[in-house]
Amino acid sequence: LGWGGEDAYFITAGASGGTVAAGRECMMGVADGVGSWEMSGIDAGKYSRSLMEAALESFTRLDAHERGADAHVDAIRGRQRLETVVQRAWERTVEAQIQGSSTLCVVHLDGARAMLTSANLGDSGFIIVRQAAPIFRSAQQEHNFGCPYQLGHHDAASRPGDAQITKVPVEPGDVLVMGTDGLWDNLADCEIADAATTIMDAGKGVRPNKTIARDIAIKLVETAIAAAVDTKRDTPFARAATEEFGLSYRGGKEDDITVVVAILEADESGHS
């Protein structure tokens, strides 16, 4: 569990240092608090932090309950497990009367079935890189330009049921990159895939995957920061703004940037 500015994230114990092995399951999430609440005297980062903390606690309790009851690990899988965690996390913010709002992206990785299930609400998201190419990217949810779906305390906020649920088969060697909008506004999918692939190729057989995953995350944050302050760069945000307003816009968008990276590993038999 960690945070910075208005962003927050969590990673469960099943993801060991940025890797996910066969037969293991884990959950990871990112959230981006809405900064404009600061003008109303509300801590804009508290809502995202509370969501991630509650999601981590919910998954941990759910996992402990299953195993404590000697239930088969298949008792709650994929979509049902994910929806339970997101719903309980949101309920905790309501019970605690946390003010503010936040986007949310949570993924459940089932190593035994080589399946990723995601719940995405707003403009945070994830990408899967396989063999140097981005093979899947979560869709953004926006009411209009610059106004993403978000969970929150106010009447107009979205609800957990509004999240887009997606299932994606995964393979050993896949790189999962999760991020808040500070990443996606400043780097294109191909740039993310290229950076991840370059670091993967340089470290293969030389460094452990957990080190490679950390290096990918650091590189992506550094590259996104450079793009955000480059007033002449052609960024996804610049292209979207140009299309929205009919004006020629260049440059990135300065924002909090959170990146979480996981590399999927095969077991000794070669299964994912």
Side-chain angles (χ1 to χ4, degrees):
L1 179 68
W3 57 84
E6 294 146 11
D7 286 2
Y9 70 91
F10 78 92
I11 306 171
T12 66
S16 177
T19 64
V20 181
R24 300 291 300 277
E25 68 171 327
C26 72
M27 201 169 276
M28 297 176 285
V30 295
D32 179 10
V34 178
S36 58
W37 287 111
E38 294 284 359
M39 293 184 289
S40 300
I42 295 172
D43 180 351
K46 187 173 183 179
Y47 198 92
S48 60
R49 295 194 298 270
S50 299
L51 271 179
M52 295 291 93
E53 183 177 11
L56 176 58
E57 181 180 347
S58 176
F59 177 84
T60 302
R61 288 186 174 183
L62 190 63
D63 191 58
H65 173 73
E66 286 184 7
R67 301 186 189 285
D70 199 27
H72 194 277
V73 291
D74 289 345
I76 303 177
R77 279 290 182 185
R79 179 168 185 153
Q80 184 182 355
R81 193 175 182 87
L82 184 65
E83 289 178 337
T84 298
V85 167
V86 172
Q87 178 70 28
R88 290 182 182 176
W90 173 74
E91 289 173 354
R92 283 283 302 278
T93 66
V94 175
E95 293 165 1
Q97 299 183 332
I98 305 297
Q99 292 186 310
S101 56
S102 176
T103 64
L104 172 97
C105 181
V106 179
V107 302
H108 173 264
L109 279 164
D110 183 346
R113 286 159 186 74
M115 182 64 65
L116 179 151
T117 308
S118 67
N120 191 50
L121 192 146
D123 55 6
S124 294
F126 71 95
I127 192 171
I128 299 173
V129 179
R130 179 180 301 161
Q131 297 179 357
I135 60 107
F136 184 85
R137 161 77 186 277
S138 59
Q140 292 187 343
Q141 294 176 308
E142 289 187 320
H143 298 288
N144 47 61
F145 182 77
C147 185
Y149 285 29
Q150 53 197 253
L151 299 176
H153 77 278
H154 54 98
D155 293 339
S158 303
R159 294 294 182 264
D162 296 320
Q164 184 178 56
I165 307 296
T166 307
K167 284 196 170 189
V168 186
V170 291
E171 300 177 0
D174 284 355
V175 180
L176 167 66
V177 177
M178 300 185 70
T180 53
D181 64 331
L183 175 67
W184 315 112
D185 282 341
N186 291 298
L187 296 182
D189 294 355
C190 60
E191 293 176 296
I192 294 170
D194 287 347
T197 301
T198 298
I199 295 172
M200 280 282 288
D201 289 347
K204 191 176 299 182
V206 179
R207 292 175 295 165
N209 278 343
K210 64 181 181 180
T211 302
I212 297 173
R214 181 200 62 195
D215 290 347
I216 292 172
I218 292 172
K219 179 64 175 179
L220 289 175
V221 169
E222 291 175 343
T223 307
I225 289 173
V229 298
D230 186 343
T231 58
K232 297 181 179 180
R233 185 161 177 150
D234 181 24
T235 63
F237 176 78
R239 291 192 290 273
T242 296
E243 181 177 350
E244 177 69 18
F245 300 113
L247 302 171
S248 180
Y249 187 91
R250 304 286 290 186
K253 180 185 178 185
E254 294 187 52
D255 199 355
D256 296 329
I257 301 169
T258 296
V259 177
V260 175
V261 176
I263 299 172
L264 278 69
E265 296 180 336
D267 62 14
E268 293 179 357
S269 67
H271 296 115
S272 63

